[in-house]
PDB file of all heavy atoms in Angstrom:
ATOM      1  N   ARG A  41       7.064  33.548   9.652  1.00  0.00           N
ATOM      2  CA  ARG A  41       7.750  34.736  10.182  1.00  0.00           C
ATOM      3  C   ARG A  41       7.705  35.834   9.139  1.00  0.00           C
ATOM      4  O   ARG A  41       8.105  35.629   7.998  1.00  0.00           O
ATOM      5  CB  ARG A  41       9.207  34.400  10.517  1.00  0.00           C
ATOM      6  CG  ARG A  41       9.376  33.354  11.599  1.00  0.00           C
ATOM      7  CD  ARG A  41      10.718  32.681  11.499  1.00  0.00           C
ATOM      8  NE  ARG A  41      11.776  33.667  11.547  1.00  0.00           N
ATOM      9  CZ  ARG A  41      12.240  34.176  12.682  1.00  0.00           C
ATOM     10  NH1 ARG A  41      11.747  33.776  13.821  1.00  0.00           N
ATOM     11  NH2 ARG A  41      13.188  35.066  12.667  1.00  0.00           N
ATOM     12  N   LYS A  43       8.972  39.648   8.259  1.00  0.00           N
ATOM     13  CA  LYS A  43       9.880  40.743   8.620  1.00  0.00           C
ATOM     14  C   LYS A  43       9.342  42.028   7.998  1.00  0.00           C
ATOM     15  O   LYS A  43       9.334  42.178   6.784  1.00  0.00           O
ATOM     16  CB  LYS A  43      11.275  40.432   8.080  1.00  0.00           C
ATOM     17  CG  LYS A  43      12.361  41.343   8.617  1.00  0.00           C
ATOM     18  CD  LYS A  43      13.641  41.210   7.837  1.00  0.00           C
ATOM     19  CE  LYS A  43      14.299  39.860   8.009  1.00  0.00           C
ATOM     20  NZ  LYS A  43      15.661  39.844   7.408  1.00  0.00           N
ATOM     21  N   GLU A  49      13.194  50.850  10.133  1.00  0.00           N
ATOM     22  CA  GLU A  49      13.221  49.920  11.249  1.00  0.00           C
ATOM     23  C   GLU A  49      12.623  48.575  10.844  1.00  0.00           C
ATOM     24  O   GLU A  49      11.634  48.530  10.126  1.00  0.00           O
ATOM     25  CB  GLU A  49      12.426  50.507  12.421  1.00  0.00           C
ATOM     26  CG  GLU A  49      12.634  49.748  13.708  1.00  0.00           C
ATOM     27  CD  GLU A  49      12.008  50.460  14.917  1.00  0.00           C
ATOM     28  OE1 GLU A  49      12.634  51.382  15.448  1.00  0.00           O
ATOM     29  OE2 GLU A  49      10.889  50.086  15.291  1.00  0.00           O
ATOM     30  N   ARG A  50      13.268  47.499  11.297  1.00  0.00           N
ATOM     31  CA  ARG A  50      12.758  46.166  10.966  1.00  0.00           C
ATOM     32  C   ARG A  50      12.185  45.486  12.193  1.00  0.00           C
ATOM     33  O   ARG A  50      12.752  45.565  13.275  1.00  0.00           O
ATOM     34  CB  ARG A  50      13.881  45.291  10.401  1.00  0.00           C
ATOM     35  CG  ARG A  50      14.455  45.812   9.116  1.00  0.00           C
ATOM     36  CD  ARG A  50      15.442  44.800   8.564  1.00  0.00           C
ATOM     37  NE  ARG A  50      16.147  45.356   7.423  1.00  0.00           N
ATOM     38  CZ  ARG A  50      17.333  45.952   7.516  1.00  0.00           C
ATOM     39  NH1 ARG A  50      17.934  46.051   8.674  1.00  0.00           N
ATOM     40  NH2 ARG A  50      17.908  46.436   6.437  1.00  0.00           N
ATOM     41  N   ARG A  51      11.040  44.861  12.028  1.00  0.00           N
ATOM     42  CA  ARG A  51      10.402  44.130  13.133  1.00  0.00           C
ATOM     43  C   ARG A  51       9.989  42.766  12.612  1.00  0.00           C
ATOM     44  O   ARG A  51       9.558  42.660  11.468  1.00  0.00           O
ATOM     45  CB  ARG A  51       9.156  44.883  13.609  1.00  0.00           C
ATOM     46  CG  ARG A  51       9.305  46.408  13.660  1.00  0.00           C
ATOM     47  CD  ARG A  51       9.742  46.894  14.991  1.00  0.00           C
ATOM     48  NE  ARG A  51       8.749  46.697  16.017  1.00  0.00           N
ATOM     49  CZ  ARG A  51       7.865  47.615  16.392  1.00  0.00           C
ATOM     50  NH1 ARG A  51       7.821  48.770  15.781  1.00  0.00           N
ATOM     51  NH2 ARG A  51       7.016  47.361  17.375  1.00  0.00           N
ATOM     52  N   ILE A  52      10.091  41.734  13.436  1.00  0.00           N
ATOM     53  CA  ILE A  52       9.640  40.405  13.014  1.00  0.00           C
ATOM     54  C   ILE A  52       8.480  39.957  13.887  1.00  0.00           C
ATOM     55  O   ILE A  52       8.543  40.036  15.113  1.00  0.00           O
ATOM     56  CB  ILE A  52      10.792  39.372  13.082  1.00  0.00           C
ATOM     57  CG1 ILE A  52      11.824  39.668  11.985  1.00  0.00           C
ATOM     58  CG2 ILE A  52      10.252  37.944  12.913  1.00  0.00           C
ATOM     59  CD1 ILE A  52      12.986  38.710  11.920  1.00  0.00           C
ATOM     60  N   MET A  54       5.368  36.741  14.219  1.00  0.00           N
ATOM     61  CA  MET A  54       5.023  35.403  13.767  1.00  0.00           C
ATOM     62  C   MET A  54       3.511  35.280  13.596  1.00  0.00           C
ATOM     63  O   MET A  54       2.742  35.799  14.391  1.00  0.00           O
ATOM     64  CB  MET A  54       5.517  34.370  14.777  1.00  0.00           C
ATOM     65  CG  MET A  54       7.031  34.327  14.879  1.00  0.00           C
ATOM     66  SD  MET A  54       7.639  32.876  15.755  1.00  0.00           S
ATOM     67  CE  MET A  54       6.945  33.090  17.364  1.00  0.00           C
ATOM     68  N   LYS A  67      -2.824  43.586  12.014  1.00  0.00           N
ATOM     69  CA  LYS A  67      -1.655  43.576  12.898  1.00  0.00           C
ATOM     70  C   LYS A  67      -0.760  44.783  12.631  1.00  0.00           C
ATOM     71  O   LYS A  67      -0.278  45.436  13.555  1.00  0.00           O
ATOM     72  CB  LYS A  67      -0.890  42.254  12.696  1.00  0.00           C
ATOM     73  CG  LYS A  67       0.339  42.095  13.539  1.00  0.00           C
ATOM     74  CD  LYS A  67       0.055  42.094  15.014  1.00  0.00           C
ATOM     75  CE  LYS A  67      -0.396  40.739  15.503  1.00  0.00           C
ATOM     76  NZ  LYS A  67      -0.663  40.749  16.960  1.00  0.00           N
ATOM     77  N   LYS A 109      14.037  32.376   5.516  1.00  0.00           N
ATOM     78  CA  LYS A 109      13.354  31.991   6.743  1.00  0.00           C
ATOM     79  C   LYS A 109      12.253  32.954   7.138  1.00  0.00           C
ATOM     80  O   LYS A 109      11.542  32.724   8.105  1.00  0.00           O
ATOM     81  CB  LYS A 109      14.378  31.844   7.871  1.00  0.00           C
ATOM     82  CG  LYS A 109      15.389  30.756   7.540  1.00  0.00           C
ATOM     83  CD  LYS A 109      15.969  30.112   8.759  1.00  0.00           C
ATOM     84  CE  LYS A 109      16.686  28.821   8.392  1.00  0.00           C
ATOM     85  NZ  LYS A 109      17.921  28.615   9.093  1.00  0.00           N
TER      86      LYS A 109
ATOM     87  N   ASP B  73      19.199  38.892  12.842  1.00  0.00           N
ATOM     88  CA  ASP B  73      18.572  37.657  12.363  1.00  0.00           C
ATOM     89  C   ASP B  73      19.553  36.875  11.489  1.00  0.00           C
ATOM     90  O   ASP B  73      20.720  37.222  11.391  1.00  0.00           O
ATOM     91  CB  ASP B  73      17.238  37.956  11.645  1.00  0.00           C
ATOM     92  CG  ASP B  73      17.440  38.588  10.280  1.00  0.00           C
ATOM     93  OD1 ASP B  73      18.589  38.911   9.926  1.00  0.00           O
ATOM     94  OD2 ASP B  73      16.432  38.768   9.575  1.00  0.00           O
ATOM     95  N   GLU B  74      19.042  35.824  10.840  1.00  0.00           N
ATOM     96  CA  GLU B  74      19.936  34.899  10.118  1.00  0.00           C
ATOM     97  C   GLU B  74      20.669  35.544   8.952  1.00  0.00           C
ATOM     98  O   GLU B  74      21.709  35.054   8.527  1.00  0.00           O
ATOM     99  CB  GLU B  74      19.156  33.660   9.653  1.00  0.00           C
ATOM    100  CG  GLU B  74      18.063  33.894   8.604  1.00  0.00           C
ATOM    101  CD  GLU B  74      16.757  34.424   9.182  1.00  0.00           C
ATOM    102  OE1 GLU B  74      16.632  34.478  10.426  1.00  0.00           O
ATOM    103  OE2 GLU B  74      15.871  34.789   8.412  1.00  0.00           O
ATOM    104  N   ASP B  77      20.377  41.138   9.455  1.00  0.00           N
ATOM    105  CA  ASP B  77      19.565  42.354   9.599  1.00  0.00           C
ATOM    106  C   ASP B  77      19.323  42.625  11.082  1.00  0.00           C
ATOM    107  O   ASP B  77      19.077  41.707  11.848  1.00  0.00           O
ATOM    108  CB  ASP B  77      18.193  42.166   8.924  1.00  0.00           C
ATOM    109  CG  ASP B  77      18.266  42.360   7.418  1.00  0.00           C
ATOM    110  OD1 ASP B  77      19.274  42.897   6.939  1.00  0.00           O
ATOM    111  OD2 ASP B  77      17.305  41.968   6.735  1.00  0.00           O
ATOM    112  N   THR B  80      14.329  45.146  15.426  1.00  0.00           N
ATOM    113  CA  THR B  80      13.955  45.868  16.638  1.00  0.00           C
ATOM    114  C   THR B  80      12.850  45.129  17.384  1.00  0.00           C
ATOM    115  O   THR B  80      11.910  44.634  16.762  1.00  0.00           O
ATOM    116  CB  THR B  80      13.480  47.287  16.276  1.00  0.00           C
ATOM    117  OG1 THR B  80      14.487  47.910  15.488  1.00  0.00           O
ATOM    118  CG2 THR B  80      13.232  48.122  17.527  1.00  0.00           C
ATOM    119  N   ARG B  82      10.004  45.587  20.363  1.00  0.00           N
ATOM    120  CA  ARG B  82       9.285  46.577  21.170  1.00  0.00           C
ATOM    121  C   ARG B  82       8.099  45.983  21.925  1.00  0.00           C
ATOM    122  O   ARG B  82       7.288  46.721  22.475  1.00  0.00           O
ATOM    123  CB  ARG B  82       8.753  47.701  20.274  1.00  0.00           C
ATOM    124  CG  ARG B  82       9.831  48.531  19.602  1.00  0.00           C
ATOM    125  CD  ARG B  82       9.234  49.707  18.867  1.00  0.00           C
ATOM    126  NE  ARG B  82      10.248  50.456  18.149  1.00  0.00           N
ATOM    127  CZ  ARG B  82      11.036  51.367  18.734  1.00  0.00           C
ATOM    128  NH1 ARG B  82      10.898  51.649  20.003  1.00  0.00           N
ATOM    129  NH2 ARG B  82      11.946  51.997  18.021  1.00  0.00           N
ATOM    130  N   GLU B  85       5.332  40.078  21.987  1.00  0.00           N
ATOM    131  CA  GLU B  85       5.120  39.268  20.793  1.00  0.00           C
ATOM    132  C   GLU B  85       6.408  39.151  19.971  1.00  0.00           C
ATOM    133  O   GLU B  85       6.764  38.079  19.477  1.00  0.00           O
ATOM    134  CB  GLU B  85       4.029  39.943  19.970  1.00  0.00           C
ATOM    135  CG  GLU B  85       3.287  39.023  19.073  1.00  0.00           C
ATOM    136  CD  GLU B  85       2.219  39.769  18.297  1.00  0.00           C
ATOM    137  OE1 GLU B  85       1.847  40.884  18.704  1.00  0.00           O
ATOM    138  OE2 GLU B  85       1.788  39.214  17.286  1.00  0.00           O
ATOM    139  N   GLU B  86       7.093  40.290  19.829  1.00  0.00           N
ATOM    140  CA  GLU B  86       8.329  40.290  19.055  1.00  0.00           C
ATOM    141  C   GLU B  86       9.449  39.579  19.814  1.00  0.00           C
ATOM    142  O   GLU B  86      10.323  38.964  19.217  1.00  0.00           O
ATOM    143  CB  GLU B  86       8.730  41.732  18.733  1.00  0.00           C
ATOM    144  CG  GLU B  86       7.786  42.379  17.741  1.00  0.00           C
ATOM    145  CD  GLU B  86       7.864  43.892  17.782  1.00  0.00           C
ATOM    146  OE1 GLU B  86       8.731  44.443  17.112  1.00  0.00           O
ATOM    147  OE2 GLU B  86       7.061  44.513  18.509  1.00  0.00           O
ATOM    148  N   ARG B 116      18.589  49.887  22.608  1.00  0.00           N
ATOM    149  CA  ARG B 116      18.358  51.127  21.862  1.00  0.00           C
ATOM    150  C   ARG B 116      17.755  52.159  22.784  1.00  0.00           C
ATOM    151  O   ARG B 116      16.749  51.909  23.434  1.00  0.00           O
ATOM    152  CB  ARG B 116      17.383  50.856  20.713  1.00  0.00           C
ATOM    153  CG  ARG B 116      18.044  50.257  19.513  1.00  0.00           C
ATOM    154  CD  ARG B 116      17.132  50.250  18.346  1.00  0.00           C
ATOM    155  NE  ARG B 116      16.568  51.567  18.082  1.00  0.00           N
ATOM    156  CZ  ARG B 116      15.852  51.840  17.004  1.00  0.00           C
ATOM    157  NH1 ARG B 116      15.596  50.898  16.131  1.00  0.00           N
ATOM    158  NH2 ARG B 116      15.363  53.030  16.812  1.00  0.00           N
TER     159      ARG B 116
END
Side-chain angles (χ1 to χ4, degrees):
Chain A
R41 297 157 56 82
K43 192 193 293 189
E49 192 171 279
R50 297 186 188 95
R51 320 267 293 265
I52 290 181
M54 295 194 298
K67 180 62 82 180
K109 299 208 166 140
Chain B
D73 73 354
E74 66 280 352
D77 280 345
T80 307
R82 295 186 184 279
E85 205 180 342
E86 291 160 85
R116 279 191 53 172

